[in-house]
Amino acid sequence: MANQALPLTPPKGMRDFGAEEMRKRRFIFERLRNVFLTFGFEGIETPSMERLDVLTGKYGQEGDRLIFKVLNSGDFMKAVHEAQLPEPSSKQMQGLISEKAMRYDLTIPFARFVSANRGTLPFPFKRHQIQAVWRADQPQKGRYREFYQCDVDVVGSRSLWQEVELIRVFAEGFAALGIQGAQIQINHRGLLMGLAERLGMPEKATALIGILDKSDKLPNDTLLDLFRKEGLSEADLALLEPLLNWLPGISPQAIKPLFSGFENAEKGIEELELVFDRCLDLGSLPGNASLVFNPRLARGLDYYTGCIFEVLLPGSGLGSLGGGGRYDNLTEMFGVPDLSGVGISFGAERIYDYMQAQNAWPQDLQTGLDYFFLHFDEEGAKVAQRFMLKFRECGARCDMFPEAVKIQKQMKYANQRQTKFVVSIGERERENQEASVKDMQSGEQITLAWDNLLHHFNSETHGHR
Amino acid sequence: MANQALPLTPPKGMRDFGAEEMRKRRFIFERLRNVFLTFGFEGIETPSMERLDVLTGKYGQEGDRLIFKVLNSGDFMKAVHEAQLPEPSSKQMQGLISEKAMRYDLTIPFARFVSANRGTLPFPFKRHQIQAVWRADQPQKGRYREFYQCDVDVVGSRSLWQEVELIRVFAEGFAALGIQGAQIQINHRGLLMGLAERLGMPEKATALIGILDKSDKLPNDTLLDLFRKEGLSEADLALLEPLLNWLPGISPQAIKPLFSGFENAEKGIEELELVFDRCLDLGSLPGNASLVFNPRLARGLDYYTGCIFEVLLPGSGLGSLGGGGRYDNLTEMFGVPDLSGVGISFGAERIYDYMQAQNAWPQDLQTGLDYFFLHFDEEGAKVAQRFMLKFRECGARCDMFPEAVKIQKQMKYANQRQTKFVVSIGERERENQEASVKDMQSGEQITLAWDNLLHHFNSETHGHR
């Protein structure tokens, strides 16, 4: 089996996660999952692979290209030889040798899941899903070929209570991660459609929305030029001014007069008003989060039909940390029409990078062990193991060096393992039935009777792990 | 996007997991993970894909065939056209169009991880890993193409304390799942090697071990015939008798005289004795688990070199629920020699099937919501939402029907959602500032003042979620 040339790195754009990274990643996922569960969004999982035809055509031409295809098992060339293509192209080949592909997002698999189980699921069906997705993208900083998505959706209800709950989920989620000041921006697709109607070019709605979508990245002059190219007059542009000069704080009502008589926009404003009214009734958002109407928020994906969301951290210089919106007909491609839904997504990987850059992690995530036991002979090891059993039963993470090596080596290992407390039970301590406990952060050292050793853990952690 | 023919099922041998299945699967994974962490085995994760050459040649010819290969992105046929093969076979093609593959187990990726990070990891390095693996096997009952493995390993120490701790991890793990009476069988490869030496055919050790490995599936007569085919005399077979007639309870010492002068076997017996001695010192195993010496336990994989383990549930009719052993040189293929390790694996999927068949799940896993709030008008919905906010902050899973539909429809939905308690706050209750709370299991109904509503959750769950 020996082979010196075997590569040690993961495939391009994919990552190994070591112990500390895993603690931090799990902190994000489990805190969010807990919020999702309290809001009644139960967890589901779908397989990593889907049938290729389930995925193709759903993410645009570029998306199709970025889907990882899985080679058929067995003698996959048989089908190719039978097809008798002299010099098949990659595209021709692909259809013959691959019928499965890696999940590209969690939305299409979710739509398939709902459609497959529509007879047994309770509707409205609320679910969360935290799983990896794969994209054959060019890797760059913050962009990976395998990464996690963190989605929350409810399908089967047009009630705006869903929007209200998802706004709270955003706020509670960021608060649970200790991220203060999340700004939850909201807009409504009806308003954007109404705008195109108001400008007399409803057929250009998608193009106009596309330009608005760039409004946080391009200067206003460039945006105006883009609008002019779509045929907008200077009078039209004047109409857009309140949108382009938008500042947080404007209320949906404020722009109502602009759209008088335009049904899509009026319905959009009405829905936004109801969402704001219900949110207000529930009181302030946790974690200093705020809900802000942003009339130029567009969201790229064109399957949204109602409220749309995006979460920013003002002043962080970061892009969106989350987003979502209401969609209709997501399951129509699987033969299940008229199932309105609304969903949001936490940008878990970006949140990780942000928390890492800010070192915003709870202290506890930077420790790997609660107690490390020093020992110097077989009897000492046995005593340590007996204590560890009791500590472990209480939930404490414990370890010792497997051999009775020099104390310096044991201490070095304890440090590498990111230990909170080092417990020493030498021969003298055994005689006195006591142990010395050293706080590795403060350097403080105390001596405890054996009977009190276990209390140390319970009082240190207040028993909450 | 509409396409009526789109399939609704996952790819062959792969599964969707709904809410209740997910609760049960997570129960297994998180309970085990918690045990692993208390024993100092930190979590790591490796990517779902590895470079193909990292995986091929590690699992035998059959294994190579079962590895899912991923098609290269972009114009993968370019390399094929350049190679100018007139009618390339699947094997020739595969080398040209695929350079990545799906993880087949967690062991090889772990070995790669350790080798890649040998300069920074603390040694001995203890890790657990709970992730999916993929095999293009023919699906059948209990065998899937995507399934989870649940591995615990320590590398970089020859100390037998590792074996002792892993025996405890097995016992604590099954106890944490509520599975009583796990029988942890132990043997030693040195003893099996010594047996081959004792029979005068050390070169046939692997073949003889292979026959012994079938001893729980085949009758003794068939085994004896297999041994005869390998050239064993009737005198040799007499020597094997105590092994073939093994019953739980025999101690390693008992067969010591058989191997006097055979170094491998003597070392094996010595190590087993030390493991038993240390385990005994730590007292009885939790969950009524037992440690049992089984001299004919062989374990199929030939990379084991020391103690080997297998966990059975006597009387269940099931095969192994876990196994493992000590190995040397696992990382040698990645250029890192002399790293002895020992690891175990929980058969999580089989454990799931067993618990499902026995309905051995904690009651709580069969509920999806703690509280469901009935409401009959906008004001009622607002009151419900306000209460739900408070409940959710305490960790309670809450929900309501999004519209104020008929009470029968709301109750039906509450039932579908597997609700523990239904809370009703109608107009009259609002006037009196009270709520009626119905236990959906017992049917019992009580009326509580609003001020006491939150206490209900805390006293019901004792706050432990």
Side-chain angles (χ1 to χ4, degrees):
Chain A
M1 300 229 292
N3 180 344
Q4 293 192 326
L6 274 179
L8 296 180
T9 49
K12 189 167 82 163
M14 304 193 179
R15 295 165 291 171
D16 288 327
F17 297 113
E20 187 171 332
E21 277 165 298
M22 279 304 297
R23 275 180 249 134
K24 292 171 174 176
R25 288 176 70 82
R26 280 182 51 79
F27 171 78
I28 293 177
F29 296 141
E30 297 312 312
R31 284 288 171 104
L32 291 180
R33 191 192 308 279
N34 210 41
V35 170
F36 303 159
L37 288 173
T38 60
F39 277 79
F41 294 92
E42 293 220 64
I44 71 157
E45 287 190 1
T46 61
S48 304
M49 298 179 199
E50 292 283 348
R51 291 167 204 271
L52 187 54
D53 51 3
V54 166
L55 300 187
T56 41
K58 309 303 184 301
Y59 308 106
Q61 222 175 342
E62 173 71 357
D64 280 355
R65 216 175 52 74
L66 300 184
I67 293 171
F68 276 114
K69 286 96 186 170
V70 178
L71 201 54
N72 290 346
S73 316
D75 184 11
F76 58 86
M77 283 302 286
K78 209 175 150 207
V80 178
H81 293 144
E82 278 166 5
Q84 293 190 315
L85 301 168
E87 269 219 345
S89 69
S90 291
K91 205 181 157 134
Q92 287 172 311
M93 279 293 281
Q94 188 192 287
L96 296 167
I97 62 177
S98 165
E99 59 188 23
K100 285 183 296 295
M102 303 303 294
R103 184 169 57 212
Y104 183 84
D105 72 0
L106 303 179
T107 306
I108 295 298
F110 169 59
R112 181 191 55 69
F113 177 93
V114 169
S115 306
N117 299 288
R118 65 192 178 285
T120 52
L121 291 177
F123 284 101
F125 178 61
K126 299 171 86 169
R127 82 88 171 79
H128 78 261
Q129 198 168 349
I130 302 176
Q131 289 192 280
V133 303
W134 294 267
R135 296 183 184 180
D137 236 326
Q138 205 50 42
Q140 58 185 58
K141 193 176 150 27
R143 192 204 279 164
Y144 309 102
R145 292 185 142 198
E146 175 179 58
F147 60 96
Y148 269 67
Q149 287 191 338
C150 202
D151 283 13
V152 188
D153 285 85
V154 49
V155 291
S157 163
R158 293 182 192 276
S159 163
L160 292 171
W161 278 116
Q162 312 297 1
E163 276 81 350
V164 173
E165 287 203 339
L166 288 173
I167 288 163
R168 298 289 316 192
V169 169
F170 262 143
E172 299 278 358
F174 283 104
L177 300 179
I179 295 177
Q180 296 287 312
Q183 187 185 69
I184 304 161
Q185 300 194 347
I186 186 171
N187 196 12
H188 197 289
R189 267 294 160 92
L191 216 149
L192 297 170
M193 293 298 293
L195 182 68
E197 288 163 13
R198 176 80 172 75
L199 294 168
M201 39 183 77
E203 75 289 353
K204 287 208 171 167
T206 306
L208 299 180
I209 288 169
I211 298 171
L212 270 178
D213 197 36
K214 299 185 186 108
S215 60
D216 55 339
K217 294 184 193 87
L218 299 177
N220 275 357
D221 284 352
T222 318
L223 291 173
L224 291 173
D225 280 344
L226 289 171
F227 281 122
R228 282 190 194 101
K229 272 187 197 145
E230 293 295 335
L232 265 66
S233 68
E234 295 308 308
D236 292 337
L237 294 178
L239 208 69
L240 286 177
E241 221 178 274
L243 261 64
L244 293 178
N245 297 319
W246 166 81
L247 284 174
I250 187 176
S251 82
Q253 288 97 317
I255 58 163
K256 209 170 181 175
L258 217 82
F259 295 111
S260 171
F262 291 89
E263 202 185 325
N264 278 320
E266 281 183 333
K267 189 177 166 239
I269 290 173
E270 200 178 290
E271 292 199 0
L272 287 171
E273 281 178 344
L274 185 53
V275 168
F276 268 93
D277 168 62
R278 285 177 173 176
C279 279
L280 213 64
D281 185 75
L282 284 174
S284 59
L285 296 170
N288 269 324
S290 58
L291 176 67
V292 163
F293 170 54
N294 176 359
R296 63 185 198 182
L297 175 69
R299 301 282 301 162
L301 282 168
D302 61 6
Y303 60 70
Y304 290 124
T305 51
C307 287
I308 48 179
F309 306 105
E310 198 152 277
V311 181
L312 296 171
L313 265 188
S316 71
L318 286 176
S320 144
L321 292 182
R326 181 171 284 274
Y327 44 80
D328 292 322
N329 302 326
L330 187 70
T331 53
E332 198 177 301
M333 66 186 99
F334 297 106
V336 182
D338 295 325
L339 217 45
S340 182
V342 51
I344 60 171
S345 184
F346 282 79
E349 302 280 354
R350 188 175 278 178
I351 290 170
Y352 181 95
D353 291 343
Y354 169 74
M355 293 185 71
Q356 186 71 10
Q358 301 283 315
N359 196 18
W361 306 104
Q363 182 67 31
D364 216 42
L365 294 182
Q366 297 173 35
T367 69
L369 290 174
D370 296 306
Y371 293 91
F372 187 86
F373 285 76
L374 301 177
H375 62 105
F376 310 101
D377 51 23
E378 175 73 9
E379 185 50 31
K382 283 184 172 174
V383 171
Q385 284 281 348
R386 274 181 242 138
F387 272 110
M388 287 202 287
L389 268 198
K390 287 185 201 152
F391 272 80
R392 286 165 172 166
E393 267 162 30
C394 298
R397 302 165 299 167
C398 301
D399 220 334
M400 67 175 208
F401 200 82
E403 283 98 15
V405 295
K406 276 196 200 137
I407 188 166
Q408 287 84 351
K409 192 167 177 190
Q410 294 190 45
M411 287 300 285
K412 189 185 165 202
Y413 184 68
N415 265 315
Q416 286 180 302
R417 295 290 302 272
Q418 302 175 291
T419 301
K420 282 164 94 166
F421 298 99
V422 167
V423 182
S424 179
I425 310 179
E427 206 172 333
R428 195 175 45 79
E429 280 106 341
R430 287 208 297 276
E431 267 166 33
N432 299 334
Q433 303 242 322
E434 49 183 43
S436 84
V437 180
K438 183 178 179 177
D439 183 326
M440 296 291 275
Q441 179 103 45
S442 68
E444 207 180 309
Q445 193 154 342
I446 51 171
T447 302
L448 289 175
W450 283 6
D451 286 344
N452 294 328
L453 207 43
L454 213 54
H455 295 307
H456 185 268
F457 173 63
N458 291 325
S459 64
E460 272 303 321
T461 60
H462 313 293
H464 59 234
R465 155 123 344 96
Chain B
M1 301 228 289
N3 180 344
Q4 293 193 325
L6 272 180
L8 295 180
T9 49
K12 187 167 85 165
M14 303 192 180
R15 297 165 289 172
D16 288 328
F17 297 112
E20 186 171 334
E21 276 166 298
M22 278 305 297
R23 275 181 250 132
K24 292 171 175 175
R25 289 177 70 83
R26 280 182 51 80
F27 172 78
I28 292 177
F29 297 142
E30 297 311 314
R31 284 288 171 105
L32 292 180
R33 191 192 307 279
N34 210 41
V35 171
F36 303 160
L37 288 173
T38 61
F39 277 80
F41 294 92
E42 293 218 62
I44 71 158
E45 287 189 358
T46 61
S48 304
M49 298 179 199
E50 292 283 348
R51 292 168 202 272
L52 187 53
D53 51 3
V54 165
L55 301 186
T56 40
K58 310 302 184 303
Y59 308 104
Q61 223 175 338
E62 173 71 356
D64 279 355
R65 215 175 53 75
L66 300 183
I67 293 172
F68 277 113
K69 285 95 186 172
V70 177
L71 201 54
N72 290 346
S73 316
D75 184 11
F76 58 86
M77 283 302 285
K78 209 176 147 205
V80 179
H81 293 143
E82 277 166 5
Q84 294 190 315
L85 302 168
E87 269 218 343
S89 68
S90 291
K91 205 182 158 136
Q92 286 172 312
M93 278 292 281
Q94 188 193 287
L96 295 166
I97 62 177
S98 164
E99 58 188 24
K100 286 183 296 297
M102 304 303 293
R103 185 168 56 212
Y104 184 84
D105 71 1
L106 303 179
T107 306
I108 296 297
F110 169 60
R112 181 191 55 69
F113 177 92
V114 169
S115 306
N117 299 286
R118 66 192 177 283
T120 51
L121 291 177
F123 284 101
F125 178 61
K126 300 172 85 170
R127 82 88 172 78
H128 78 261
Q129 197 169 348
I130 302 176
Q131 290 192 277
V133 302
W134 294 267
R135 297 184 183 178
D137 236 326
Q138 206 50 43
Q140 57 184 61
K141 191 174 150 34
R143 192 205 278 164
Y144 309 101
R145 292 183 146 201
E146 175 180 58
F147 60 97
Y148 269 67
Q149 287 192 337
C150 201
D151 283 14
V152 188
D153 285 85
V154 49
V155 291
S157 163
R158 293 182 190 278
S159 163
L160 293 170
W161 278 116
Q162 313 297 0
E163 276 81 349
V164 173
E165 287 203 340
L166 288 173
I167 289 164
R168 298 287 319 190
V169 168
F170 262 141
E172 300 278 358
F174 284 102
L177 300 179
I179 296 177
Q180 297 286 312
Q183 187 184 71
I184 304 162
Q185 299 193 347
I186 186 171
N187 197 9
H188 197 288
R189 268 293 159 94
L191 216 149
L192 297 170
M193 292 299 292
L195 181 69
E197 288 163 11
R198 175 80 172 79
L199 295 167
M201 38 183 78
E203 75 289 352
K204 288 209 170 168
T206 307
L208 299 180
I209 288 170
I211 299 171
L212 269 179
D213 196 37
K214 298 183 186 112
S215 60
D216 56 337
K217 294 184 193 86
L218 300 176
N220 276 358
D221 285 351
T222 318
L223 290 174
L224 290 174
D225 280 344
L226 289 172
F227 280 123
R228 281 189 194 101
K229 273 186 197 146
E230 292 295 334
L232 265 65
S233 69
E234 295 308 307
D236 292 336
L237 294 179
L239 209 68
L240 285 176
E241 222 179 274
L243 260 63
L244 294 179
N245 297 319
W246 166 81
L247 285 174
I250 185 176
S251 82
Q253 287 98 316
I255 57 163
K256 209 170 178 175
L258 216 82
F259 294 111
S260 170
F262 291 88
E263 204 184 326
N264 278 321
E266 282 184 333
K267 191 179 165 236
I269 291 173
E270 202 177 290
E271 292 199 358
L272 287 171
E273 281 177 343
L274 185 53
V275 168
F276 268 93
D277 168 62
R278 285 177 172 173
C279 281
L280 214 64
D281 185 75
L282 285 174
S284 60
L285 295 171
N288 270 325
S290 58
L291 176 67
V292 163
F293 171 54
N294 176 358
R296 62 184 200 184
L297 175 68
R299 301 282 299 158
L301 283 167
D302 60 8
Y303 61 67
Y304 290 124
T305 52
C307 288
I308 48 181
F309 306 104
E310 198 153 279
V311 182
L312 296 171
L313 266 187
S316 71
L318 286 176
S320 144
L321 292 181
R326 180 171 286 273
Y327 44 81
D328 292 324
N329 303 326
L330 186 70
T331 53
E332 197 177 301
M333 67 186 97
F334 297 105
V336 182
D338 295 325
L339 218 45
S340 183
V342 52
I344 60 171
S345 185
F346 283 78
E349 303 280 355
R350 188 174 278 177
I351 290 170
Y352 181 96
D353 291 344
Y354 168 74
M355 293 183 70
Q356 187 70 12
Q358 301 284 315
N359 195 18
W361 306 105
Q363 181 66 31
D364 216 41
L365 294 182
Q366 297 174 36
T367 69
L369 289 173
D370 297 305
Y371 293 91
F372 187 86
F373 285 76
L374 302 177
H375 61 106
F376 310 100
D377 50 25
E378 175 73 7
E379 184 50 31
K382 282 184 173 174
V383 170
Q385 284 282 347
R386 273 182 242 137
F387 272 110
M388 286 202 287
L389 268 199
K390 287 185 203 154
F391 272 80
R392 286 165 173 166
E393 266 163 30
C394 298
R397 300 165 300 167
C398 300
D399 220 333
M400 67 175 210
F401 200 82
E403 283 98 14
V405 294
K406 276 197 202 137
I407 187 165
Q408 288 84 349
K409 191 167 178 191
Q410 294 190 43
M411 287 300 284
K412 188 185 167 205
Y413 183 68
N415 265 317
Q416 285 180 302
R417 294 288 302 271
Q418 301 176 292
T419 301
K420 282 164 92 167
F421 298 99
V422 167
V423 182
S424 179
I425 310 179
E427 208 172 332
R428 192 175 47 78
E429 280 104 341
R430 286 210 295 279
E431 269 167 31
N432 299 333
Q433 304 242 323
E434 50 183 42
S436 83
V437 180
K438 182 177 180 179
D439 183 327
M440 295 291 276
Q441 178 101 47
S442 68
E444 207 180 309
Q445 193 154 342
I446 52 171
T447 301
L448 289 175
W450 283 7
D451 286 344
N452 295 328
L453 208 42
L454 212 53
H455 295 307
H456 185 267
F457 172 62
N458 291 325
S459 64
E460 271 303 323
T461 62
H462 314 293
H464 59 233
R465 159 126 337 101

